[in-house]
Amino acid sequence: MLNFHNVCSVPRSFQLTGIPGLESLHIWLSIPFSSMYLVAVVGNITILAVVRVERSLHQPMYFFLCMLAVIDLVLSTSTMPKLLGIFWFGAGDIGLDACLTQMFLIHCFATVESGIFLAMAFDRYVAICDPLRHTTVLTHTMVGRLGLAALLRGILYIGPLPMMIRLRLPLYKARVIMHSYCEHMAVVTLACGDSRINNVYGLSIGFLVLILDSMAITASYVMIFRAVMGLATPEARLKTLGTCGSHICAILIFYVPIAVSSLIHRFGHQVPPPIHTLLANFYLLIPPILNPIVYAVRTKQIRERLLQILKIQTKIR
């Protein structure tokens, strides 16, 4: 265990603080956080169940949506149970290996989610710009390969992060992580060794994922909008754009919070720690909550199937 006076030693575990500066409000904060987590779990499981039972939804767009739901469940579940344990029981202690595992899951699946959004943009591009080839290009096999590629990319990009910490930064000057989960930079700042390589690698991954993926998605939608503007009637344009509306909303819900949180963590040194930690938690909770709502409201097939299920349940009662 670590000693005082900034003596560097090897920790067996770390201590997560929850929301630093708001410890006295933890029990009250647990109410909205537990409610949001419950909504996220129920919403994403509902999407998975509806797509599974409704054969008309067995299309590339909805398979990607199911992948998105699984990723959102992993992201929220990798952080919220531990955070609620801190709120309710003060259980902030987390082993070193568990901390590194949590770090890997969070950053890996955030990277995978970005890859799925990129695959969904490709699906919309083919469906709108080359509709006659959509069924031959986006086969079930191709959808599976795109999902696997996104997963392997996440593992390849993020896998070195915990390994670099394990091998290069064994000594720490403190064991208290001023955060609610084992975020990469929150752990690295406690290390006694030279963490420049870790910082550069983290920034490089952030650039590759956030910047390049968002640029590729933007390019695909520029081509989509050009194709849509070439349609004969305004009704056809609106109908075609409507198929992309849910995807665009989901992209904004994902990229905007994570970009804001990353910028604040890197450059917003004057932002109070409670604000930064709350934002970091929201970017792991907001997409899992809103993605099912956005797709359920804006996607006709999912909305109609949900209404059918609700009507059946009402009749049974």
Side-chain angles (χ1 to χ4, degrees):
M1 303 298 291
L2 292 179
N3 298 316
F4 297 101
H5 309 298
N6 289 334
V7 176
C8 295
S9 59
V10 180
R12 294 180 182 176
S13 64
F14 292 106
Q15 186 72 26
L16 296 168
T17 59
I19 310 298
L22 298 179
E23 287 83 358
S24 62
L25 300 176
H26 275 180
I27 194 64
W28 296 106
L29 288 172
S30 69
I31 298 174
F33 274 96
S34 59
S35 301
M36 288 188 291
Y37 177 54
L38 180 62
V39 170
V41 170
V42 172
N44 285 285
I45 290 178
T46 301
I47 291 292
L48 290 171
V50 169
V51 174
R52 183 177 186 275
V53 300
E54 184 58 52
R55 296 190 63 84
S56 65
L57 299 178
H58 291 183
Q59 303 173 29
M61 175 180 173
Y62 302 109
F63 289 144
F64 287 130
L65 178 57
C66 287
M67 296 179 193
L68 210 60
V70 172
I71 294 167
D72 286 340
L73 286 171
V74 173
L75 282 175
S76 56
T77 303
S78 64
T79 55
M80 284 305 109
K82 184 62 181 177
L83 179 59
L84 294 176
I86 297 172
F87 285 163
W88 290 333
F89 312 111
D93 197 66
I94 184 170
L96 176 59
D97 290 334
C99 183
L100 295 179
T101 300
Q102 185 188 56
M103 178 193 303
F104 171 78
L105 289 174
I106 293 168
H107 295 293
C108 176
F109 279 90
T111 303
V112 175
E113 183 157 355
S114 182
I116 296 300
F117 280 128
L118 184 57
M120 294 173 78
F122 174 68
D123 169 61
R124 291 299 86 202
Y125 166 76
V126 176
I128 293 173
C129 297
D130 197 1
L132 296 179
R133 298 185 58 211
H134 183 251
T135 55
T136 57
V137 174
L138 270 298
T139 62
H140 290 184
T141 301
M142 178 58 71
V143 171
R145 287 176 179 173
L146 290 173
L148 181 61
L151 176 61
L152 292 178
R153 187 187 71 155
I155 295 173
L156 179 65
Y157 281 5
I158 305 302
L161 281 181
M163 293 177 61
M164 289 167 65
I165 291 176
R166 199 54 148 132
L167 298 175
R168 297 191 65 258
L169 303 173
L171 300 177
Y172 293 82
K173 56 181 175 285
R175 64 181 296 268
V176 178
I177 300 175
M178 302 299 290
H179 212 291
S180 59
Y181 58 84
C182 291
E183 200 273 338
H184 175 246
M185 288 305 300
V187 175
V188 168
T189 53
L190 301 180
C192 292
D194 186 358
S195 62
R196 283 178 295 181
I197 294 179
N198 298 70
N199 292 335
V200 170
Y201 186 80
L203 283 171
S204 301
I205 294 301
F207 174 81
L208 287 172
V209 174
L210 290 177
I211 305 299
L212 296 186
D213 282 10
S214 60
M215 288 176 61
I217 292 171
T218 301
S220 70
Y221 270 97
V222 168
M223 290 185 284
I224 287 172
F225 290 143
R226 288 177 61 185
V228 169
M229 291 301 105
L231 295 176
T233 64
E235 291 78 10
R237 295 173 189 171
L238 290 174
K239 183 178 179 180
T240 306
L241 288 175
T243 63
C244 301
S246 301
H247 186 215
I248 294 173
C249 290
I251 289 171
L252 294 175
I253 289 167
F254 175 76
Y255 280 106
V256 172
I258 197 172
V260 171
S261 179
S262 298
L263 289 173
I264 288 177
H265 197 91
R266 299 285 180 178
F267 308 109
H269 302 297
Q270 296 183 353
V271 176
I275 301 299
H276 171 238
T277 307
L278 287 171
L279 286 175
N281 280 282
F282 286 154
Y283 95 70
L284 293 177
L285 266 179
I286 291 176
I289 292 171
L290 293 184
N291 283 342
I293 296 174
V294 166
Y295 279 99
V297 170
R298 294 189 60 88
T299 305
K300 181 180 178 181
Q301 293 92 326
I302 295 179
R303 186 171 64 250
E304 289 178 348
R305 183 60 180 175
L306 283 174
L307 290 174
Q308 288 176 3
I309 293 174
L310 292 174
K311 288 179 181 179
I312 293 172
Q313 293 294 329
T314 303
K315 290 179 180 179
I316 292 175
R317 291 178 181 177

